[in-house]
Amino acid sequence: MRNTKAIKKVSLKALCFIFVILFVNHQTQAKEKDTINFEAKDGLIVTADLFAPHPNETPFIILFHQAQWSRGEYIEIAPKLNKMGFNCMAVDLRSGGNVNDITNETNQRAIKLGKPTDYLDALQDMESAVKYVKSKYESSKIILWGSSYSASLVIKLAEDNPALIDGVLAFSPGDYFDRSKTYIKDSAKNIKCPIFITSALKEEKAWEKIFHAIPSKHKHSFLPKTQGNHGSRALWEKFHDSKDYWQAVSKFLHQYFGEKNNNKNDVQVKGKAIIDKETPEPNWPHPRSDEYIEQRCQMVRHIRGNYGLKDEKVLKAMEDVPRHWFVPEKSAPLAYADRPLPIGYNQTISQPFIVAYMTNQLKLDKNQKVLEIGTGSGYQAAVLTEFTPHVYTIEILEPLARATAKRLRELGYTTVKTRIGDGYKGWPEYQPFDAIIVTAAPDHIPDDLLQQLAPGGRMVLPVGGTFATQELLLITKDAKGRITQKNLMPVRFVPMVPGNSK
Ligand code: SAH
């Protein structure tokens, strides 16, 4: 008897518990989205689902569907973007139909009113969506996301509104329109913001010219190794390769929009649930380029093969950082040869092997602070940024320092701290440094730098007179502050010019 009572009690409790869970679940789901309306230029009412649980200034993604479909293309995508820390809105465009049991309200209204519903007619709906978001979320960055025909139109929209649009994701764009076979390619020529293009494996031909035309250094593309899918549906869970698309999308969004996101922790923690656990995303910018990939890989094969440098993280950094961005434009084709190159002002960018070798000596990780003396082109600083967001770099030649600081900023290396000044003094305000790398040769080890090296820290520097042989040294400071020195190899660097403080 007692037992049955106990069981009854327990099952009653369990029922209440399930009820509470269902109720809470239902509540949160009900709050997940709001259906809203706004007006297009010609007066047509446009419907959209708003998924905006984050504060107003959070980056905002506007989602547009593919041909014949509705905002229903995003029913499982939008909540995932919310979990990654973004606000978003999925819009019904007048050119479309139904998908996932969601009726395209805008299309229905357009038909009732006898309005044309061709692809290009939808451009005004997209414009009104941007206007709506700008008016309600004034201080947030706006990211456009299109699928198939609307993937093409987001490129056009970004061209027309460079001041309003901060990023573009295009799933299977193409020059699909009768108006002109280069309509989108011509728009692409004016895209300056970060842009990501992807498609099914076999669709590359449809967008490669568009991609090529984009001058932005922040352009990225992804093609699946599998067959993939057309448009944003490539991200639907039912497709086994959707994870690969998600990983590429997460990487792009975090690279350009993760940093300034107010819910930064959310982005990192929850984002990982979607992307592969084995490859956690770095949470500071790592700019990339698809140009000269083959040459970059060849350079890395050379460093590995000829010099026997085997550290995979260093090799990966060399493979990922676009060295051609850091040399004068006319030298770009030579950027991946294993040689130093002139960068103007009588200075040179070091030979790739030396950059890799010196970086390897520092044994950096993401919590460490590193000081570079001799910013030069900024390339070494960019390589250091692959390992840590705490990079400080000093350059003594003012015009070079200014030009490079601007370049680093424009390329997206927003974490690098630059300073015009005399490297002999180090950077006392930010000491101690876990690592110091000197890329010009002093004739002695500068005292201030030794002092600014943290216990357990490592410093690599070439020492020797201008015309004498220079020796690359590794200086280590142990936990008790004791210094040891190791000669690594003979080298040739430009001299470190004495400031007032030598
Ligand atoms: N690390 C650079 C290459 C540097 S070449 C790169 O990746 O491109 C050496 C640089 O050190 C030159 O730009 C030179 O102007 C700078 N330099 C020379 N003496 C210096 C000093 N005392 N303080 C800071 N920078 C100095």
Side-chain angles (χ1 to χ4, degrees):
M1 260 314 256
R2 257 193 213 152
N3 271 353
T4 344
K5 251 191 189 166
I7 288 169
K8 264 190 192 159
K9 241 187 188 170
V10 166
S11 50
L12 202 69
K13 265 191 186 163
L15 254 177
C16 287
F17 184 62
I18 289 169
F19 176 74
V20 167
I21 286 188
L22 279 178
F23 185 71
V24 169
N25 218 359
H26 175 74
Q27 289 272 315
T28 45
Q29 265 175 15
K31 269 202 205 146
E32 198 168 64
K33 67 171 185 187
D34 282 321
T35 301
I36 53 157
N37 292 319
F38 43 87
E39 201 177 317
K41 208 166 52 194
D42 68 346
L44 183 70
I45 301 298
V46 176
T47 294
D49 281 342
L50 187 63
F51 302 75
H54 301 298
N56 263 30
E57 59 277 15
T58 309
F60 197 110
I61 306 176
I62 312 181
L63 304 157
F64 301 109
H65 57 76
Q66 57 183 279
Q68 319 295 333
W69 283 7
S70 71
R71 63 194 196 282
E73 185 171 5
Y74 294 99
I75 46 173
E76 61 173 73
I77 295 173
K80 283 188 181 168
L81 292 171
N82 282 167
K83 277 194 188 140
M84 287 163 66
F86 297 92
N87 281 332
C88 52
M89 177 172 97
V91 183
D92 272 352
L93 301 174
R94 68 185 70 193
S95 183
N98 305 341
V99 71
N100 290 335
D101 296 327
I102 304 223
T103 304
N104 184 325
E105 313 277 347
T106 312
N107 171 256
Q108 296 264 305
R109 271 183 223 113
I111 291 170
K112 251 191 216 148
L113 294 168
K115 289 186 184 284
T117 57
D118 288 337
Y119 296 151
L120 290 178
D121 298 315
L123 200 51
Q124 55 195 311
D125 305 339
M126 298 169 73
E127 280 162 0
S128 65
V130 173
K131 228 166 123 192
Y132 174 86
V133 172
K134 197 68 217 165
S135 68
K136 302 274 179 202
Y137 300 84
E138 247 171 72
S139 53
S140 70
K141 293 201 162 179
I142 299 184
I143 304 157
L144 300 180
W145 174 316
S147 174
S148 187
Y149 86 91
S150 71
S152 308
L153 294 184
V154 289
I155 296 173
K156 169 81 183 123
L157 211 52
E159 178 201 24
D160 291 343
N161 302 281
L164 288 184
I165 307 304
D166 298 289
V168 171
L169 291 98
F171 286 73
S172 305
D175 256 309
Y176 300 127
F177 312 108
D178 295 335
R179 171 185 291 211
S180 140
K181 281 294 150 213
T182 59
Y183 185 49
I184 300 304
K185 189 181 124 191
D186 294 341
S187 300
K189 286 180 190 155
N190 298 311
I191 299 294
K192 302 269 161 39
C193 63
I195 176 165
F196 170 86
I197 296 187
T198 185
S199 69
L201 182 61
K202 288 206 175 127
E203 293 177 326
E204 189 187 4
K205 279 261 163 301
W207 54 261
E208 67 179 358
K209 285 194 181 129
I210 295 173
F211 188 77
H212 195 71
I214 300 168
S216 168
K217 289 193 166 144
H218 315 295
K219 59 177 179 179
H220 302 262
S221 64
F222 168 75
L223 271 180
K225 293 199 176 72
T226 46
Q227 211 179 319
N229 266 291
H230 180 71
S232 303
R233 74 199 286 259
L235 293 169
W236 290 358
E237 257 168 40
K238 69 173 184 182
F239 301 118
H240 69 279
D241 51 6
S242 58
K243 274 207 185 75
D244 301 336
Y245 282 96
W246 270 114
Q247 192 166 352
V249 167
S250 302
K251 193 170 170 187
F252 175 79
L253 287 174
H254 284 125
Q255 184 172 340
Y256 294 104
F257 306 101
E259 183 80 352
K260 295 221 172 69
N261 196 317
N262 278 353
N263 298 301
K264 200 171 153 206
N265 293 331
D266 275 2
V267 174
Q268 286 170 317
V269 177
K270 292 181 180 163
K272 272 186 197 163
I274 292 168
I275 59 174
D276 188 352
K277 280 212 179 84
E278 296 300 310
T279 53
E281 292 298 292
N283 56 0
W284 69 93
H286 288 68
R288 296 285 182 262
S289 166
D290 289 330
E291 290 163 341
Y292 294 103
I293 285 184
E294 194 34 55
Q295 287 89 331
R296 215 152 42 238
C297 292
Q298 172 57 34
M299 173 186 86
V300 170
R301 280 196 292 274
H302 175 79
I303 294 173
R304 190 199 294 269
N306 271 42
Y307 301 102
L309 196 151
K310 293 273 170 350
D311 188 282
E312 290 306 324
K313 281 194 190 140
V314 171
L315 292 170
K316 178 86 174 54
M318 298 300 290
E319 192 178 307
D320 284 343
V321 177
R323 187 171 153 94
H324 64 278
W325 286 350
F326 297 90
V327 300
E329 219 166 331
K330 65 174 177 5
S331 317
L334 294 175
Y336 298 99
D338 189 26
R339 52 175 272 198
L341 286 170
I343 52 169
Y345 310 91
N346 260 336
Q347 303 303 328
T348 53
I349 177 173
S350 310
Q351 165 193 7
F353 163 66
I354 289 290
V355 172
Y357 183 85
M358 289 172 80
T359 305
N360 193 29
Q361 293 299 330
L362 299 177
K363 308 284 173 231
L364 292 172
D365 75 43
K366 68 177 187 322
N367 298 314
Q368 289 181 330
K369 218 188 313 173
V370 54
L371 173 67
E372 179 196 25
I373 306 300
T375 315
S377 68
Y379 175 65
Q380 175 73 67
V383 171
L384 297 173
T385 300
E386 291 296 308
F387 298 85
T388 168
H390 312 291
V391 177
Y392 296 78
T393 181
I394 304 179
E395 169 60 52
I396 199 163
L397 289 179
E398 188 170 336
L400 178 58
R402 286 197 195 285
T404 299
K406 181 164 178 274
R407 170 187 300 142
L408 286 167
R409 227 177 17 250
E410 285 175 357
L411 290 171
Y413 289 96
T414 50
T415 51
V416 176
K417 270 75 88 196
T418 57
R419 175 177 187 163
I420 305 169
D422 176 12
Y424 279 101
K425 289 190 201 156
W427 198 332
E429 295 87 339
Y430 290 103
Q431 61 132 343
F433 296 95
D434 304 295
I436 299 179
I437 174 170
V438 184
T439 64
D443 58 12
H444 64 287
I445 302 170
D447 258 357
D448 286 339
L449 296 185
L450 260 188
Q451 276 178 24
Q452 292 176 24
L453 192 62
R458 301 164 74 84
M459 166 154 72
V460 58
L461 80 169
V463 174
T466 313
F467 302 106
T469 332
Q470 301 161 356
E471 193 66 27
L472 192 65
L473 305 181
L474 173 66
I475 310 289
T476 46
K477 195 186 252 187
D478 71 12
K480 292 201 172 126
R482 283 178 306 222
I483 304 287
T484 42
Q485 171 180 329
K486 185 175 162 194
N487 287 28
L488 298 172
M489 63 170 147
V491 284
R492 178 152 285 284
F493 276 77
V494 296
M496 182 152 160
V497 301
N500 307 330
S501 59
K502 189 186 171 186

